């Protein structure tokens, strides 16, 4: 499908929506969405490499304020793309993040997505210790893998524990995607993350969530694929 063809289709979208919504192709809907996001976002200071991630988060949430609240460590995008292309593991805090990640784009590079929140040992130990499963799941993941991408979209305690483990030298992630949502400790955990000298992608404030974390990984995996294509040309 050529680019010109796509652009014409997008311009013709109003016609399709009005007269024949059933004929709209999924790709066309996504293209139209991204066109609308670019039109509506206005001035911003995100770099060329950061902007595709911002756009995908807005696309997922329809929330410009959330998109604009994203914050990037200067090395974050490069580190994320590199880790995916190296087939590094992706650790998620909850199953919702794992489910939202475009799996084949990760496995294509030899990568794997891991989530320990439902592991029997984690459930049992959390009850015994009376602490969150999220904390224990992070401890388990960091004890088993070197580097990797940690994508946290739900649990503030997962992010706080990961930060603690990094500070102790017990974890050295290639990238931390820290966008937990909510009222208790979510905002504060993200502020702490921005003090670390580890590549991170986060946002300011209470907003976030599993779809946001998954969207960020998906944007990075698309970019990793593009780098591969560019190198093979
Ligand atoms: C405090 C927690 C919050 N959870 C939120 C929102 C959602 N959580 C869903 C589900 C199904 C799960 N949440 C747990 C991770 C569970 N949630 C918590 C904890 C109590 C503590 C986490 C923390 O403070 O860091 C956490 C339990 C734990 O021991 O870690 C989950 C494990 C609960 C469970 O089933 O036992 C579970 C994840 C299960 C899995 O992946 O297998 C929701 C889908 C619930 C819903 O809305 O129906 C939802 C998902 C939101 C998202 O985008 O991910 C909050 C609101 C974020 C809240 C944290 C903030 C707050 O309360 O202020």
């Amino acid at each position: 499908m050529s680019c010109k063809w796509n652009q014409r289709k997008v311009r013709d979208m109003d016609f399709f929506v009005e007269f024949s919504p059933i004929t709209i192709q999924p790709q066309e809907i996504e293209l139209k969405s991204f066109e609308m996001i670019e039109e509506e976002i206005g001035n911003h200071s995100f770099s060329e490499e950061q902007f595709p991630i911002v756009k995908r988060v807005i696309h997922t949430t329809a929330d410009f304020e959330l998109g604009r609240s994203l914050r990037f460590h200067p090395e974050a995008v490069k580190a994320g793309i590199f880790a995916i292309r190296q087939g590094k593991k992706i650790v998620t805090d909850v199953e919702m993040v794992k489910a939202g990640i475009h799996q084949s784009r990760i496995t294509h590079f030899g990568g794997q997505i891991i989530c320990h929140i439902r592991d029997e040992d984690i459930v049992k130990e959390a009850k015994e210790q009376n602490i969150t499963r999220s904390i224990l799941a992070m401890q388990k993941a960091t004890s088993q893998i070197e580097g990797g991408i940690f994508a946290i979209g739900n649990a503030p305690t997962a992010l706080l524990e990961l930060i603690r483990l990094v500070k102790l030298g017990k974890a050295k992630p290639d990238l931390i995607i820290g966008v937990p949502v909510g009222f208790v400790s979510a905002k504060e955990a993200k502020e702490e993350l921005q003090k670390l000298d580890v590549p991170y992608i986060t946002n300011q404030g209470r907003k976030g969530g599993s779809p946001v974390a998954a969207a960020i990984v998906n944007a990075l995996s698309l970019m990793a694929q593009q780098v591969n294509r560019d190198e093979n040309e």
Side-chain angles (χ1 to χ4, degrees):
M1 209 188 321
S2 84
C3 195
K4 270 189 178 160
W5 185 88
N6 272 338
Q7 281 164 3
R8 203 186 65 231
K9 280 288 190 195
V10 166
R11 275 201 305 274
D12 291 348
M13 202 62 148
D14 290 345
F15 172 85
F16 280 103
V17 170
E18 203 174 338
F19 295 103
S20 184
I22 229 152
T23 63
I24 300 171
Q25 302 297 309
Q27 262 186 328
E28 290 171 344
I29 297 172
E30 194 170 316
L31 269 172
K32 179 66 181 167
S33 296
F34 277 92
E35 197 184 72
M36 289 168 81
I37 291 164
E38 280 177 29
E39 271 170 23
E40 285 182 41
I41 193 166
N43 292 335
H44 63 83
S45 56
F46 294 110
S47 71
E48 211 176 307
E49 61 171 18
Q50 294 165 355
F51 197 43
I53 296 169
V54 176
K55 280 192 291 186
R56 190 152 290 277
V57 166
I58 296 171
H59 176 250
T60 296
T61 59
D63 189 337
F64 283 91
E65 187 188 89
L66 172 53
R68 284 183 167 280
S69 75
L70 286 170
R71 295 293 176 266
F72 295 81
H73 180 281
E75 298 300 318
V77 180
K78 276 191 186 66
I81 293 172
F82 187 74
I84 290 172
R85 294 184 75 218
Q86 292 285 303
K88 295 282 189 79
K89 292 196 168 65
I90 297 181
V91 177
T92 68
D93 60 340
V94 293
E95 290 289 337
M96 271 180 72
V97 177
K98 186 177 172 184
I101 293 174
H102 202 298
Q103 199 168 340
S104 66
R105 291 207 295 257
I106 301 301
T107 53
H108 169 81
F109 293 106
Q112 199 187 337
I113 311 162
I114 293 166
C115 179
H116 291 305
I117 197 92
R118 293 185 189 169
D119 291 4
E120 267 179 41
D121 56 334
I122 297 293
V123 177
K124 185 169 170 280
E125 219 179 306
K127 274 191 194 131
E128 283 166 9
Q129 292 192 40
N130 198 22
I131 59 172
T132 69
R133 285 153 64 185
S134 303
I135 289 178
L136 291 168
M138 284 298 122
Q139 290 174 0
K140 183 170 180 177
T142 52
S143 70
Q144 291 179 350
I145 68 162
E146 287 266 320
I149 297 178
F150 283 70
I152 297 169
N154 178 310
T157 61
L159 183 55
L160 287 170
E161 179 61 8
L162 183 59
I163 292 168
R164 191 184 73 86
L165 293 166
V166 168
K167 283 182 181 167
L168 288 173
K170 293 184 174 176
K172 288 192 178 66
D174 294 302
L175 171 68
I176 301 175
I177 297 168
V179 286
V181 59
F183 297 91
V184 180
S185 307
K187 177 174 170 281
E188 293 77 7
K190 292 180 232 180
E191 283 165 3
E192 280 306 303
L193 177 59
Q194 291 174 66
K195 294 177 192 164
L196 283 190
D197 190 22
V198 167
Y200 61 76
I201 300 175
T202 187
N203 75 299
Q204 286 182 306
R206 290 169 169 172
K207 290 184 180 183
S210 296
V212 180
I216 293 171
V217 176
N218 290 339
L220 287 168
S221 68
L222 272 173
M223 291 157 95
Q225 276 188 332
Q226 188 58 50
V227 173
N228 256 32
R229 276 197 291 272
D230 291 347
E231 280 186 2
N232 291 330
E233 266 177 19

